[in-house]
């Protein structure tokens, strides 16, 4: 069993819809939770960073962490075709910038 | 955000040769850099943690004699794939840790193809 599980998709939504992404994990030591966006043949770009449980909102993006369920989510409102990418969740036990464990990534396609 | 570059962006080599990949933090100093490998449609797998002025720490299953890492300065880490074989073909991504923001910034990746 992988430490971090993420549905690979693809997840196809119409433009303007809400994109809902999630990851589950097994390591209760994870304290820092990140969401990255990766375009094809590019490096990942940090979207959201959350420490411990709770919600965090930044523009069209909302990240949620439920440590009791070992479940994290990312919501993208008013999705745009430019949001089409692979979204990776990542976690760390120590600090956000230290050793990260990534999920497999979910490919998202927003259709105009 | 901070900028991390990688060179080359892609490389094709013959089996048995060695390939060096550079990772540079362009506008900040990074005492710690990370090297990841990503196979098609798979996630990033951490290969090693590179610390400036000391030996790299390799993840389990990663051959340290095959993947040589050097972090000679606060802005440069290099990964050398020695005696490359076709199974080493992959997308190699580095990241640099910026302590000020407590964040890893990723390079654009290097696509290695071994014939």
């Amino acid at each position: 069993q992988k430490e971090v599980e993420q549905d690979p998709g693809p997840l196809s939504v119409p433009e303007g819809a809400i994109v809902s992404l999630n990851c589950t994990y097994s390591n209760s030591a994870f304290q820092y939770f990140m969401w990255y966006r990766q375009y094809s043949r590019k490096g990942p770009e940090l979207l959201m960073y959350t420490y411990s449980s709770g919600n965090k909102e930044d523009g069209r993006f909302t990240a949620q962490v439920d440590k009791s369920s070992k479940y994290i989510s990312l919501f993208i409102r008013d999705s745009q075709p430019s949001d089409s990418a692979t979204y990776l969740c990542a976690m760390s036990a120590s600090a956000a910038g230290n050793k990260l464990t990534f999920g497999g990534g979910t490919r998202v396609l927003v259709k105009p | 955000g901070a900028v991390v570059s990688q060179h080359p962006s892609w490389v094709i080599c013959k089996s048995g040769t060695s390939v060096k990949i550079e990772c540079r933090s362009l506008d900040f100093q990074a005492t710690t850099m990370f090297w990841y490998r990503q196979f098609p449609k798979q996630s990033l797998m951490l290969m090693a943690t590179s610390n400036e002025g000391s030996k790299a720490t390799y993840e389990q299953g990663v051959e340290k004699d095959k993947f040589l890492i050097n972090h000679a300065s606060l802005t440069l880490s290099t990964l050398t794939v020695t005696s490359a074989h076709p199974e080493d073909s992959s997308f190699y991504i580095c990241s640099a840790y910026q302590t000020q923001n407590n964040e890893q910034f990723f390079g654009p990746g290097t696509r290695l193809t071994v014939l």
Side-chain angles (χ1 to χ4, degrees), chain A residues 32 36 38 41-46 49 88-89 95-105 107, chain B residues 34 36 38 41-46 49 59 91 93 97 101-109 111:
Chain A
Y32 298 83
Y36 289 86
Q38 185 179 26
R41 304 194 177 204
K42 300 291 184 183
E45 172 193 10
L46 181 66
Y49 151 56
L88 301 156
C89 63
N98 285 351
K99 178 179 173 179
L100 299 179
T101 302
F102 282 85
R107 187 163 151 255
Chain B
F34 301 89
Y36 296 84
Q38 186 176 33
K41 297 188 178 181
Q42 295 187 28
S43 190
L44 284 75
M45 297 298 294
L46 180 65
T49 301
E59 295 300 300
F91 194 50
I93 303 176
Y97 176 46
N101 292 338
N102 189 25
E103 182 178 340
Q104 286 187 38
F105 292 92
F106 286 82
R111 182 158 301 281

Side-chain angles (χ1 to χ4, degrees), chain B residues 18-37:
Chain B
S18 295
V19 175
K20 180 186 283 188
I21 303 170
E22 293 185 348
C23 177
R24 294 182 185 273
S25 56
L26 298 185
D27 50 5
F28 68 99
Q29 293 183 331
T31 55
T32 303
M33 291 184 174
F34 301 89
W35 286 96
Y36 296 84
R37 180 166 51 183

Side-chain angles (χ1 to χ4, degrees), chain A residues 6 19 21 33-39 43-50 56-63 73-76 82-90 102 106 108, chain B residues 103-106:
Chain A
Q6 188 176 3
V19 176
L21 303 165
F33 305 91
M34 280 70 67
W35 285 96
Y36 289 86
R37 177 175 61 197
Q38 185 179 26
Y39 292 111
E45 172 193 10
L46 181 66
L47 289 175
M48 298 287 285
Y49 151 56
T50 308
K56 187 173 183 179
E57 190 172 317
D58 184 1
R60 296 185 296 116
F61 300 93
T62 299
S73 302
L74 177 71
F75 300 97
I76 307 173
S82 58
D83 293 326
S84 298
T86 296
Y87 290 81
L88 301 156
C89 63
F102 282 85
T106 299
V108 172
Chain B
E103 182 178 340
Q104 286 187 38
F105 292 92
F106 286 82

